[in-house]
Amino acid sequence: ALIGTLEGRYDFIVVHGGDALGSTAECLVPAVDGTLLVVSLGAVRRADLEAAGSSLGALGAPLVGAVAVEST
């Protein structure tokens, strides 16, 4: 619907999906071409990051990269 409309107008569309372990990821994965994992340095434990990657992988989300941001 909305993403399909935007695809016809723009080269790239960025959708903030919230927590990778939440239910939003399940809804968005079928509608996107790639997933960019954003990680807050100092606020995310390695085990949580690994769980997020595993969860996205299990959903079939193609991981295209990661961004590390400073925690505020």
Side-chain angles (χ1 to χ4, degrees), residues 11-34:
D11 293 329
F12 297 98
I13 303 160
V14 177
V15 179
H16 179 269
D19 190 338
L21 298 175
S23 61
T24 306
E26 283 186 50
C27 297
L28 287 176
V29 166
V32 300
D33 296 324

Side-chain angles (χ1 to χ4, degrees), residues 22-71:
S23 61
T24 306
E26 283 186 50
C27 297
L28 287 176
V29 166
V32 300
D33 296 324
T35 304
L36 185 64
L37 189 59
V38 179
V39 180
S40 295
L41 296 175
V44 176
R45 296 178 311 145
R46 179 183 299 261
D48 293 333
L49 180 57
E50 290 172 354
S54 294
S55 176
L56 291 170
L59 292 172
L63 187 60
V64 297
V67 176
V69 296
E70 191 172 334
S71 180

